[in-house]
Amino acid sequence: MHILFVTSEIYPLIKTGGLADVSGSLPLALRKLGADVRVLIPGYPSVLEKLQHTKVLAEFPSPAGNTAPARLLSAVMPDTALPLLVLDCPVLYNRSGGPYLAPTGRDWPDNAQRFGFLNQIGALLAGSATPLSWRPDVVHCNDWQSALIPALLHYSHAAHARSVVSVHNLAFQGNFDAQWIPRLGLPAASYQMHGVEFYGHFSFLKAGLYYADKITTVSRTYAAEIQTPEFGCGMEGLLQERHADLAGIVNGIDDDWNPARDSHLQKTYDYRTLGNKAANKLALQQELGLEPDADAPLLGLVSRLTHQKGIDLVLDCVHDLLQDGAQLAVLGTGETQFEHSLNQLVRRHPGRVSATIGYDEGLAHRVIAGSDIFLMPSRFEPCGLSQMYAMAYGTPPVVRRTGGLADTVTDCNAAALRDGSATGFVFEQAGATELLGTIRRALSVYRTPETWNALQSSGMQRDFSWQHAAEQYLAAYRSAMA
Ligand code: ADP
Ligand code: GLC
């Protein structure tokens, strides 16, 4: 089976969140199962810098006026040899700033064109007019940034691949002015409710959900949630109509996230040598300027600092937790108000709270390994990877029962403790009181070392590997082709 996997981020070349982790791992897991997967990605500066021996496969006129032509490059991922197709178009992608946001923190004003062009090339490679000799059976699109491809294929006259769209986060929809429709090669007739129109906008994600042969999302619970008004972000009606073509496939985690051979750590460990985890806690306390106290329960949080992630809930109960003797270590970037409140908290409680505002892959590993308890009180969470990293590192997570958090964390209730299935702490309502109560429940188990150890090792022995998910994606591709 030939699969063109289109994505706007891929670890370790460019990452803003979990989509990059998925794009870096899933194609490899699919290749292990025999699929010929190639990944199409924009040529951001960090992508081009990290790739060696690129080869020009094709050239296209620039999509933005009188500027240098765009080129399609072939390359392989360093270390894993995953085949990549890189769309090098300097006028669109060669900028200092994020893949989606300018340094001001605002969306790049020409995102419709930046990702529209990625979709046009994706659709070209998926059809009989492709300049390559390799032709995919299925094009796998991820989030709004590549969700226009199924619409472009629908309106193209060439024979073409089938399409699967994966929703990693329905809240990001890629909604733009309708003036972009002809500029991106779609007919005016596509701008209607049964098409790419979404409440008066031209929507990339709606296009994908409407025209894709199959839709997947990254957990079973989120697949059900997005068919309701509470989580559907206005797309629930369409998703209900398409429910027979919608599957929830829980993400796996990469082998790199393994405390037994993680080079970012002070001391490696597994469930049999959990004692070594203490050295990582001490090293983390030192690194972050926290009081080096082995007994103070250390709460860790690594996240985008946004409303989705329930950061405000943590801020609302942190004073009570500090009174209970806990410490807090936060690593993240995001909304200014949260960054600001966290910095203020550090000034008020030096040695007890640490907040690193920024993106730091190594520190993310050390926070997850060095903390005792991991906080992830998301209001919604399509899948979530960090809670799985935390369980794999013997750092039981406190999570809200939503999306992938509900599907991957087993609450430490009496029954689950008895049968050994408990891996963390789960609460229902997105409120600070509920969160505080649940963290306190976790703290009381933490103070019973034998039970705590059992909880840690049960999370560490869970199978979070990608193989199971990859098998389900192959099934989704097959059904798209049927
Ligand atoms: P989302 O994709 O919604 O942000 P996930 O839990 O799926 O949530 O994935 C988040 C990924 O981003 C994880 O790999 C996490 O470790 C990483 N991450 C988030 N914030 C940071 C940060 N500030 N520094 C380093 N890694 C981060
Ligand atoms: C999104 C979601 C997150 C998910 C990730 C990868 O960023 O917010 O829950 O784990 O995509 O699928």
Side-chain angles (χ1 to χ4, degrees), residues 229-245:
E230 189 187 349
F231 295 93
C233 304
M235 308 248 179
E236 60 274 9
L238 173 57
L239 288 161
Q240 282 161 23
E241 273 170 41
R242 297 221 55 193
H243 78 273
D245 294 316

Side-chain angles (χ1 to χ4, degrees), residues 407-422:
D407 292 359
T408 57
V409 181
T410 307
D411 183 57
C412 183
N413 55 36
L417 260 184
R418 262 198 311 278
D419 69 21
S421 61

Side-chain angles (χ1 to χ4, degrees), residues 9 16-23 142-143 166-170 172 217-219 222 249-252 304 308-309 376 378 380-388 403-405 466 473:
E9 46 183 283
T16 71
L19 173 59
D21 294 351
V22 173
S23 304
N142 292 279
D143 275 350
S166 291
V167 178
H168 298 267
N169 194 334
L170 198 65
F172 299 109
T217 186
V218 286
S219 67
Y222 194 58
I249 305 176
V250 174
N251 291 329
R304 292 186 287 115
Q308 173 194 344
K309 301 291 181 178
M376 200 155 167
S378 309
F380 69 94
E381 195 60 75
C383 179
L385 297 168
S386 300
Q387 82 282 9
M388 290 192 266
L405 300 175
W466 266 104
Y473 277 105

Side-chain angles (χ1 to χ4, degrees), residues 295-471:
D295 294 328
L298 177 51
L299 312 176
L301 190 155
V302 178
S303 178
R304 292 186 287 115
L305 303 176
T306 63
H307 185 73
Q308 173 194 344
K309 301 291 181 178
I311 304 304
D312 50 319
L313 306 181
V314 176
L315 288 167
D316 284 347
C317 67
V318 69
H319 290 102
D320 292 295
L321 294 166
L322 295 174
Q323 293 218 318
D324 291 350
Q327 297 183 346
L328 175 69
V330 177
L331 167 62
T333 55
E335 293 169 21
T336 323
Q337 44 153 341
F338 295 135
E339 298 184 350
H340 182 75
S341 310
L342 283 164
N343 284 330
Q344 231 174 9
L345 199 62
V346 175
R347 279 194 294 275
R348 260 198 263 157
H349 304 277
R352 307 295 307 285
V353 179
S354 133
T356 310
I357 306 301
Y359 180 88
D360 184 334
E361 187 72 28
L363 184 56
H365 285 243
R366 290 192 293 279
V367 171
I368 288 173
S371 304
D372 295 303
I373 295 169
F374 190 76
L375 304 183
M376 200 155 167
S378 309
R379 288 196 163 74
F380 69 94
E381 195 60 75
C383 179
L385 297 168
S386 300
Q387 82 282 9
M388 290 192 266
Y389 300 150
M391 288 184 276
Y393 278 62
T395 309
V398 171
V399 304
R400 191 165 104 75
R401 191 186 305 285
T402 182
L405 300 175
D407 292 359
T408 57
V409 181
T410 307
D411 183 57
C412 183
N413 55 36
L417 260 184
R418 262 198 311 278
D419 69 21
S421 61
T423 58
F425 300 85
V426 185
F427 64 100
E428 304 288 336
Q429 298 304 323
T433 318
E434 279 240 18
L435 174 61
L436 177 62
T438 310
I439 297 176
R440 285 189 166 150
R441 186 154 66 87
L443 290 175
S444 78
V445 181
Y446 173 74
R447 291 188 194 104
T448 322
E450 209 174 298
T451 317
W452 190 254
N453 258 306
L455 181 68
Q456 288 177 297
S457 23
S458 109
M460 295 177 86
Q461 290 175 77
R462 278 267 177 110
D463 178 10
F464 295 119
S465 67
W466 266 104
Q467 189 190 328
H468 189 56
E471 282 163 2

